[in-house]
Amino acid sequence: MKKILPFLLAFLLGISMLSFAQSGKPKVLIFSKTLRYYHESIPDGIAAIIQMGQQHGFAVDTTKNADFFTDNTLKKYAAIIWLSTTGDVLNPAQQAAFERYIQAGGGYVGIHSASASEKDWEWFGQLTGAVFVNHPPDPVDGVVQVADVNDPSTRQLPKRWKRKDEWYNFKKRMTDVHVLLTADESTYQGGTEGVYHPLAWKHKFDGGRSFYTALGHLSEAYRDPLFQQHILAGIQYSIGKNEPLDYTKAKTAQVP
């Protein structure tokens, strides 16, 4: 009995730790590294998401340091938020770590120019759901149309949502995404996709959860309660059930 007791205690402790990991407070990481255009709205986005976390029960870390992209660091987070990142922000080892994170069951939120990041990394474009091509020269007024009025990220919005933003055009669209918002190109100049122009969507991809919105160029967006709820619901979708990551499901090999 004395020999069995230590193993029994260790087993019970393991169950306790697993239970804590599943039911503990989720933590998300905001990643905002830029190598090309820098959006002045990034600090406003960070402040808004930190406030969301305080109000809705998730912790928020922030970084511009791509060295965070390792298995040991990423596994601490229920979701990684790419906030208006631009350029090729990760090296091959860091890319592999992010692929492994998603394959292990992690969450991803892409906001605005996240789709203009890592444009030659095919897997990332598929995770995001599309790749940025261009936009009209300046932010202009236009109309966003709600494609799904029942989704938590859109049900607070008017069916036709007038707003000023930077209207992205895309290529390499994934067809198996759940589209949430579309652009009405007839309400502004510079749209190139026609009648059906998705702007926000979500999908399951490669073992993880992905939410992307093209909106969020201007600082004022992050002070808008309607846009805040849009982002919040995307974060909550990407967090999911806050289950421990399972790296046995990761298919991508680690890069030395």
Side-chain angles (χ1 to χ4, degrees):
M1 184 66 183
K2 290 182 179 179
K3 293 181 179 180
I4 295 174
L5 187 59
F7 293 100
L8 180 60
L9 290 173
F11 175 73
L12 292 173
L13 179 60
I15 293 177
S16 174
M17 291 178 68
L18 179 59
S19 174
F20 175 78
Q22 290 174 329
S23 62
K25 187 176 184 179
K27 182 183 289 187
V28 303
L29 176 67
I30 301 174
F31 179 54
S32 58
K33 181 177 179 179
T34 58
L35 293 180
R36 294 184 179 177
Y37 184 84
Y38 174 77
H39 285 80
E40 299 292 339
S41 61
I42 287 175
D44 302 277
I46 291 173
I49 295 171
I50 289 174
Q51 185 177 40
M52 291 175 200
Q54 293 169 346
Q55 295 174 345
H56 296 277
F58 58 89
V60 181
D61 288 342
T62 70
T63 189
K64 298 177 183 178
N65 185 359
D67 289 339
F68 269 54
F69 282 72
T70 67
D71 286 3
N72 286 337
T73 300
L74 294 184
K75 69 182 180 182
K76 302 174 184 177
Y77 299 101
I80 312 298
I81 303 168
W82 290 51
L83 176 60
S84 292
T85 50
T86 55
D88 295 334
V89 291
L90 302 183
N91 66 32
Q94 293 158 353
Q95 290 178 345
F98 190 51
E99 289 186 17
R100 290 170 54 78
Y101 166 79
I102 294 296
Q103 292 162 358
Y108 162 75
V109 175
I111 299 176
H112 197 51
S113 62
S115 61
S117 308
E118 297 288 350
K119 294 175 69 174
D120 295 324
W121 181 11
E122 184 176 356
W123 179 92
F124 183 75
Q126 293 172 351
L127 172 71
T128 300
V131 176
F132 167 82
V133 175
N134 57 32
H135 57 72
D138 298 300
V140 294
D141 292 324
V143 172
V144 175
Q145 303 170 122
V146 176
D148 180 355
V149 298
N150 297 313
D151 190 82
S153 70
T154 56
R155 61 191 177 201
Q156 80 283 2
L157 300 176
K159 185 70 175 176
R160 289 177 61 81
W161 185 24
K162 296 180 180 179
R163 62 182 294 102
K164 185 175 184 179
D165 214 308
E166 198 171 53
W167 302 85
Y168 277 13
N169 298 307
F170 296 96
K171 64 180 180 179
K172 297 184 179 179
R173 285 194 176 276
M174 295 287 282
T175 58
D176 60 346
V177 300
H178 182 123
V179 175
L180 304 168
L181 300 173
T182 64
D184 182 349
E185 289 190 0
S186 70
T187 62
Y188 67 94
Q189 298 294 317
T192 63
E193 299 192 39
V195 176
Y196 187 62
H197 184 155
L199 285 179
W201 52 82
K202 64 184 182 181
H203 66 139
K204 300 287 183 64
F205 177 76
D206 206 14
R209 300 163 305 281
S210 169
F211 173 92
Y212 173 78
T213 182
L215 304 176
H217 175 79
L218 297 172
S219 292
E220 63 197 49
Y222 300 94
R223 296 188 288 271
D224 179 353
L226 295 179
F227 185 65
Q228 289 177 357
Q229 177 58 37
H230 178 58
I231 295 295
L232 172 63
I235 295 170
Q236 291 171 329
Y237 168 77
S238 297
I239 288 174
K241 296 180 181 179
N242 190 33
E243 296 175 336
L245 299 185
D246 183 359
Y247 271 83
T248 65
K249 296 180 179 179
K251 299 170 291 185
T252 299
Q254 290 178 301
V255 177

